[in-house]
Amino acid sequence: MDSFVYFALLTIVILFLLGTPLCVTFSIGSIAIMIHVMDFPVGNISQIFFTTISGYPMLAMPFFIFAGNLILSSGGMGHLRDCINRLVGHLPGGMAVAICIFAAFLGSISGSATACLAIIGTIFVPMMAASGYPRAFASGLAVTSAGLGAVIPPSVFMIIFGASNRISIADLFAAGVGPGLLAAALMCLLTVYLSIRRGYSGGAKASLALRLEAFRKAFPILLMPLIVLGGIYSGVFSPTQAAAVACVYSLALGVLIYKGITWKVFMDALVETVRLSSMIYFLVIGGELFGRVLGYVGLPQMISQWVIDLQLGPTAFLFAVQAMLLVMGFFFSSFPMVVIVLPLFLPSATALGIDPSLYGALAVFCAIIGEVTPPMGPQLWIAAPICKEKIGNIMREAWAFLGVQVLALILVTLFPQISLFLVHFVR
């Protein structure tokens, strides 16, 4: 290998360790290698910039982010919270169980773990603290359950992974439903167990009339995942079209029904969407350039050969990759893992007969768990000021829920039909 390649790769590592923005880190070294070693014309590199982000599937990402920002500002979150709380609030630790259900539902309308954390930390954590729950427990549950928002479709991470690697986004969405709901169910069971053990009691049981009233107020927002995901799986529209429909529906809810969207709220949501989407697009461009360099170096082929030499079967391979991704999650945030690391193992997964949508769903889930594990754990740094709790206290309560999420990963790996049943049904 050319010595210049080693120098450029070392530059990428140094820039990464210095905290340089990831899009700059991956792009500088990659462009240098492509020009000086791979003999890429500069005009072709600029073309890569355009083709990477102009694909039709990639358009779904900013639309879903915008829809999530609108629905979270629509004024309907309080009604959704009351509906779920009146349904399960009487159980031992009922308010904590409501967080898990609320997070799972938020995942089906926002697709962003950070957005879910902001809403849960703002709405539920103060309520739980006022009801006698330790704030650390409420915060640990909030930061881990928010990750369900990036696993249960529509998921921004799955859109990026699918669009970058030419995998059906609809299949990835379908493959994420089983693991996400299983993790939510296991977290609910663990919450009930911990609440009984620690003496966290539930609230008064709501009457049928109160439940029906709360359901009536929350019904318009409850329809959103049925319209969006039902439209995708029934073939009425594509994921990108579904994202546009979600924007229109969210805007209609916020303006006509819940009346929480003003012109200022609308513009704030639009600006936040542009800011986040731009960051993701630049990161995807850097990942595409770096991926071409890794392909030139032959790293994916090395990994495939490593799998062949170890004679790993599909299940053992998935476990090995998951263990590697979970360890990497301690030191890397999820975006570079989804853009750079996950595609490296995709050729080996395909060669072993593993459905790409299953691999993608499980790998994205691993990356999301890494969002909470220290010392990197960006979700922890976001949760601390929102939940008004120290990071150490949050992490102490979060470990049990992370363990349950890892258990969900193990169960889906051993019984892949948990994830693939819906994929096979909608294909």
Side-chain angles (χ1 to χ4, degrees), residues 24 32 138 189 192 199 205 224 233 312 321 345 371 391 416:
V24 177
L189 293 175
V192 172
K205 187 174 183 178
M224 184 170 174
Y233 299 141
L312 295 177
V321 172
F345 300 100
E371 285 280 285
I391 289 179

Side-chain angles (χ1 to χ4, degrees), residues 294-324:
L294 293 179
Y296 172 78
V297 173
L299 187 57
Q301 293 84 349
M302 295 178 191
I303 294 175
S304 298
Q305 187 59 47
W306 170 73
V307 172
I308 294 172
D309 293 341
L310 291 179
Q311 297 182 339
L312 295 177
T315 303
F317 171 78
L318 286 175
F319 277 133
V321 172
Q322 288 166 20
M324 191 178 306

